[in-house]
Amino acid sequence: MKIALTCTGKEMNDNLDLRFGRCSYFIIFDSEKGVSYTLENKGQSSGGGAGIAAAQQIIDEEVEVVISGSMGPNAYNLMMSSGIKVYASKELPCAQVLESFNKGELEEITQAGPSHMGMGSGK
Amino acid sequence: MRALNIAILSGKGGTGKTTVATNLAEILQANYIDCDVEEPNGYIFLKPENIMNVAVEVECPDINMEKCILCGECTKTCQFNALFNTKKDILVFEKMCHSCKACSIVCKTKAITFKPRKVGVIEKGEKQGLICMRGVLDIGEAMAVPVIKKLLRHTPVGLNLLDCSPGTSCNAVSTLRHAQGALLVTEPSAFGLHDLRMAICLVRKFDLPFGVIINKWDEKNGEFLERYLDGEGIKILGYIPYKREAAEVYSRGEMVRTIPAYQQAFDRIASSCGEVFQWN
Amino acid sequence: MELTVISGKGGTGKTSIAVAIAELERNTVKVDCDVDAPNFYLYYDGNDASCEDFSGGKKVVVDEELCISCGLCQDACQFSAIENGLVDFLNCEGCGACVLVCPTQAASLKEEKTADIFVTDTGKGILSRAEVEIGSEGSGKLITILRKAAKPYTDGKITVSDGSPGIGCPVISSITGTDAVLIVTEPTQSGMEDLGRVVTLCRQFKILIFVCINKVDINKQISTEIEEYCLEKNLLLAGRIPYDDTVLRSINELKPIIFYSESPANEAIRQMWKTIKKEIFKD
């Protein structure tokens, strides 16, 4: 199973990024192989629709679980319709967050944050 | 007679742009057009009647899944992340769409056509023979420009005062495209001057005749602002005093020109406007 | 600890209050998220410790040597932004439709610089701010980067952010992950409407909310309505700041209101900050 963590840095000991769409990196942990790799979040550089761009990346990587701080409704609905589970955590080092997840201590997000589509570009 | 559109601008919110636009509209017998479509507050003061509504629509992609082969070219092409490939379906995030139609250009199977989608409304009413119009962006919609464009496509004949969005963003730019002159509203503070400079840059870009109205005027502190405008060769069209009484009148949704000192101030502004814009 | 000061509409006194709070504590980190009217930094002198370009999106550029003036781009553009190979940058939305139809690859999308981001050392803590180019505006992306720029300096300090106006993406980016928001409102019809919208937004993000009514005495009736609204919504009304001519003087003299000992607004803001701190640091 592939687990994606939104991360402020490239390493497992960097903190979890509480944003989904505009997190800096995704750390993807493959629990069967016990290995992880890091991807730069393409959503981060989008003027608008960051959550959608980030979600496309997650789906393209065939991830099954996402751990973040919160998630907007666009991204959340895309996760739900693709059968991806979303868990919430506090801002702690990713290694610690992953440990909590494995112990079953994290809460599953069952409701999306508010919509704020279009964002700012106003065009 | 043709339309003459004068835009009322301010660098920042809360400087009194709507106060100036509504009070001057009554004094100059001008039509009032509220282009601040995200927060159109002018109707609170003018209270127009017999309002008619027209919807504002944009074109949005409609994907024929019988023709679609899920190649994902459209999702990669869209610069606004409005299309999403779930591998089973192409989803359209309508509110992200800019109606650029780039997706239909790259679609190999011609699966994309366009359908209209409502994003706001134009309201047209009247108050004592003057036309009052405003655009209202639907709540949750992000793109104000299509509403502003439609609002200003056919402006009434005669003198129109366009109440702009604050700042120098693309919403203000869209309004200025339709203006033949501009009134800049500022206040005598360092904040005011800082934001006024940005607004001046903008109107100069469009090469429009313009003048400045100083709101919340205070003789003791305003000299630096007059000096700056004098140095730039910019005409001051008038001064509006700062009185607690006006804040109270405003808070009740009434016109500040019901206070005599304000009526006088606006009368003077109205006559100096004629010199700058040379109408008639 | 980060406190973000926000308001639905402009002109409610948000920046004056943010500056006052920033000055009541020592060495606060300051972030000016109100990039469309960036007035926070006017109170401070200082040296820019760093400056970087910010790109808010793409625009089309045309290589004149490759252009054969076929006019296909003009037909494809939905925004009337290109004509005879000349691009109207204020109209161009960077969609790339012209690039797709250009037979000679003369048109291409290029990142466009839309702002400068500065981290300024004020001598009393750092301040992170942006200067946005005309025709551009604050976006969620820009606010996210502004707050990231301040982040390395925030350890163990109090951060005061002057939030973006409105309820769109910029304000959401200003409040995501902050510890508390202070909503500055005023007792006017539009103030009341905007308060409701901002509260709904903050509630969805589960952020600790404080409300402050500025110029509380200009309309007693609406002020009472706001107080009742706060009670009903279980919001902490942290401050009631009276109308005070000294505030305008303080803005003109670029001296935070807390340095005017005779000012009633000063007194009210100090009281408010005590209330907020007590609530935030009660654990």
Side-chain angles (χ1 to χ4, degrees):
Chain A
M1 179 172 72
K2 279 188 181 176
I3 301 163
L5 296 102
T6 55
C7 191
T8 53
K10 293 177 184 173
E11 309 289 339
M12 269 289 185
N13 50 15
D14 289 319
N15 276 356
L16 189 82
D17 201 323
L18 295 179
R19 306 151 201 272
F20 175 73
R22 293 199 185 281
C23 71
S24 301
Y25 298 96
F26 291 114
I27 293 188
I28 301 188
F29 179 72
D30 189 326
S31 60
E32 274 129 54
K33 295 182 188 148
V35 293
S36 66
Y37 57 95
T38 306
L39 294 174
E40 202 164 319
N41 171 21
K42 288 179 194 158
Q44 191 188 190
S45 59
S46 303
I52 299 170
Q56 184 79 65
Q57 213 173 344
I58 290 291
I59 288 174
D60 291 345
E61 289 298 319
E62 297 173 339
V63 163
E64 288 175 53
V65 168
V66 174
I67 308 173
S68 188
S70 63
M71 197 178 275
N74 289 337
Y76 182 78
N77 290 334
L78 291 169
M79 295 295 113
M80 289 306 104
S81 64
S82 308
I84 297 170
K85 288 200 159 70
V86 185
Y87 290 84
S89 168
K90 295 211 170 80
E91 192 179 347
L92 295 168
C94 282
Q96 210 173 321
V97 172
L98 192 60
E99 208 178 296
S100 305
F101 172 75
N102 287 332
K103 287 184 191 159
E105 290 170 356
L106 295 187
E107 194 188 338
E108 188 174 346
I109 302 180
T110 51
Q111 201 190 345
S115 177
H116 54 103
M117 311 200 59
M119 318 340 144
S121 71
K123 285 177 178 171
Chain B
M1 196 180 179
R2 288 181 33 228
L4 176 63
N5 298 334
I6 306 292
I8 321 277
L9 279 176
S10 72
K12 69 188 272 280
T15 55
K17 187 171 49 62
T18 299
T19 302
V20 168
T22 51
N23 285 276
L24 266 189
E26 286 193 351
I27 292 168
L28 289 168
Q29 289 291 293
N31 303 310
Y32 171 82
I33 305 181
D34 199 342
C35 308
D36 187 2
V37 304
E38 291 179 61
E39 283 163 332
N41 289 330
Y43 276 25
I44 294 178
F45 302 96
L46 287 173
K47 305 176 179 70
E49 292 153 359
N50 305 322
I51 294 170
M52 294 196 315
N53 294 336
V54 184
V56 179
E57 291 176 332
V58 294
E59 286 185 286
C60 194
D62 188 12
I63 298 175
N64 182 344
M65 288 317 294
E66 281 170 23
K67 288 187 183 170
C68 176
I69 52 167
L70 293 169
C71 68
E73 280 303 314
C74 56
T75 60
K76 282 188 212 121
T77 298
C78 181
Q79 295 292 324
F80 312 109
N81 298 316
L83 295 164
F84 192 90
N85 186 0
T86 67
K87 318 271 158 152
K88 286 174 260 169
D89 207 354
I90 301 289
L91 301 180
V92 181
F93 287 88
E94 296 180 328
K95 291 180 186 177
M96 315 294 306
C97 175
H98 286 220
S99 308
C100 72
K101 303 191 175 178
C103 50
S104 69
I105 297 173
V106 293
C107 182
K108 293 173 212 142
T109 60
K110 300 208 176 343
I112 303 177
T113 53
F114 293 87
K115 62 181 180 194
R117 188 176 79 82
K118 178 177 172 284
V119 294
V121 64
I122 307 293
E123 298 178 359
K124 189 173 179 180
E126 51 110 8
K127 174 74 180 293
Q128 290 159 358
L130 299 174
I131 296 169
C132 294
M133 291 173 77
R134 70 171 180 177
V136 185
L137 185 69
D138 287 349
I139 289 177
E141 291 292 340
M143 283 166 235
V145 170
V147 180
I148 297 171
K149 274 188 182 162
K150 174 143 185 181
L151 177 66
L152 297 176
R153 192 167 300 149
H154 303 290
T155 47
V157 292
L159 180 61
N160 301 309
L161 298 186
L162 316 183
D163 193 350
C164 290
S165 304
T168 54
S169 67
C170 58
N171 292 350
V173 168
S174 297
T175 306
L176 272 190
R177 283 183 185 280
H178 297 270
Q180 287 84 44
L183 292 174
L184 273 48
V185 184
T186 187
E187 53 187 43
S189 70
F191 288 7
L193 177 58
H194 177 268
D195 300 334
L196 175 66
R197 280 199 175 118
M198 291 163 61
I200 289 172
C201 277
L202 180 62
V203 290
R204 283 190 171 152
K205 253 188 177 179
F206 281 90
D207 206 12
L208 295 173
F210 70 98
V212 169
I213 294 169
I214 307 177
N215 193 13
K216 306 183 190 173
W217 175 241
D218 177 356
E219 271 171 33
K220 292 196 292 288
N221 291 321
E223 203 201 329
F224 76 99
L225 185 58
E226 288 181 308
R227 225 175 18 239
Y228 166 78
L229 291 168
D230 194 43
E232 290 282 317
I234 295 167
K235 186 162 171 64
I236 300 174
L237 296 170
Y239 304 86
I240 301 170
Y242 188 52
K243 285 196 162 70
R244 187 195 158 109
E245 196 186 349
E248 291 171 359
V249 167
Y250 173 91
S251 77
R252 292 195 296 268
E254 294 164 14
M255 301 285 269
V256 294
R257 75 184 183 97
T258 52
I259 305 167
Y262 283 77
Q263 175 72 44
Q264 284 164 19
F266 279 111
D267 281 341
R268 277 197 294 269
I269 291 166
S271 65
S272 48
C273 279
E275 295 165 28
V276 172
F277 304 114
Q278 294 163 354
W279 47 60
N280 302 326
Chain C
M1 199 288 292
E2 180 176 6
L3 176 75
T4 306
V5 186
I6 57 174
S7 70
K9 74 183 274 284
T12 57
K14 175 173 63 65
T15 302
S16 298
I17 290 169
V19 169
I21 293 174
E23 288 303 299
L24 282 171
E25 295 292 325
R26 304 186 77 186
N27 286 326
T28 46
V29 172
K30 295 160 268 282
V31 186
D32 193 351
C33 300
D34 190 356
V35 296
D36 297 319
N39 299 142
F40 204 172
Y41 86 95
L42 296 175
Y43 284 89
Y44 299 95
D45 297 322
N47 303 316
D48 293 332
S50 72
C51 168
E52 58 177 298
D53 290 357
F54 171 81
S55 157
K58 293 172 183 163
K59 295 261 150 131
V60 155
V61 289
V62 176
D63 184 336
E64 278 173 47
E65 287 181 12
L66 296 175
C67 177
I68 51 167
S69 303
C70 64
L72 286 176
C73 53
Q74 201 167 321
D75 298 339
C77 180
Q78 301 292 316
F79 312 104
S80 317
I82 191 162
E83 205 174 311
N84 297 324
L86 285 175
V87 180
D88 179 340
F89 287 103
L90 287 173
N91 262 354
C92 177
E93 305 215 358
C95 72
C98 54
V99 177
L100 296 170
V101 297
C102 179
T104 61
Q105 275 98 47
S108 60
L109 285 179
K110 287 264 160 31
E111 287 285 343
E112 189 209 20
K113 178 187 160 191
T114 55
D116 288 299
I117 293 180
F118 298 95
V119 174
T120 307
D121 185 356
T122 67
K124 301 178 192 172
I126 68 110
L127 185 152
S128 137
R129 65 190 177 92
E131 281 177 15
V132 177
E133 301 202 346
I134 283 172
S136 302
E137 59 234 301
S139 63
K141 183 183 172 189
L142 176 56
I143 305 298
T144 304
I145 290 179
L146 265 183
R147 290 181 65 206
K148 268 191 187 156
K151 190 106 191 196
Y153 305 91
T154 54
D155 247 7
K157 296 207 181 82
I158 290 177
T159 302
V160 180
S161 297
D162 188 3
S164 314
I167 53 164
C169 190
V171 68
I172 290 169
S173 290
S174 339
I175 64 173
T176 309
T178 193
D179 297 283
V181 297
L182 173 63
I183 306 175
V184 180
T185 184
E186 56 177 27
T188 64
Q189 285 197 14
S190 46
M192 178 95 197
E193 282 172 30
D194 295 334
L195 172 66
R197 279 182 280 188
V198 176
V199 166
T200 310
L201 185 76
C202 295
R203 273 281 154 85
Q204 283 164 319
F205 276 81
K206 300 193 175 119
I207 299 170
L208 179 60
I209 304 172
F210 298 97
V211 176
C212 134
I213 311 178
N214 197 12
K215 304 175 206 162
V216 65
D217 44 351
I218 59 164
N219 190 321
K220 295 226 164 71
Q221 192 192 334
I222 301 181
S223 281
T224 310
E225 282 173 37
I226 295 176
E227 285 175 20
E228 284 165 359
Y229 171 83
C230 289
L231 211 60
E232 181 197 325
K233 296 273 172 187
N234 203 14
L235 297 166
L236 210 127
L237 184 64
R240 301 165 84 254
I241 301 169
Y243 179 95
D244 181 356
D245 283 326
T246 324
V247 176
L248 193 66
R249 217 175 95 206
S250 128
I251 294 174
N252 285 332
E253 292 169 3
L254 287 178
K255 200 161 98 185
I257 188 72
I258 61 158
F259 299 117
Y260 296 79
S261 53
E262 76 289 3
S263 151
N266 167 20
E267 191 49 40
I269 291 171
R270 283 173 186 267
Q271 275 303 326
M272 173 171 75
W273 180 231
K274 271 189 203 154
T275 309
I276 293 174
K277 274 212 296 196
K278 213 167 133 193
E279 187 65 27
I280 291 177
F281 297 114
K282 70 180 171 189
D283 302 331

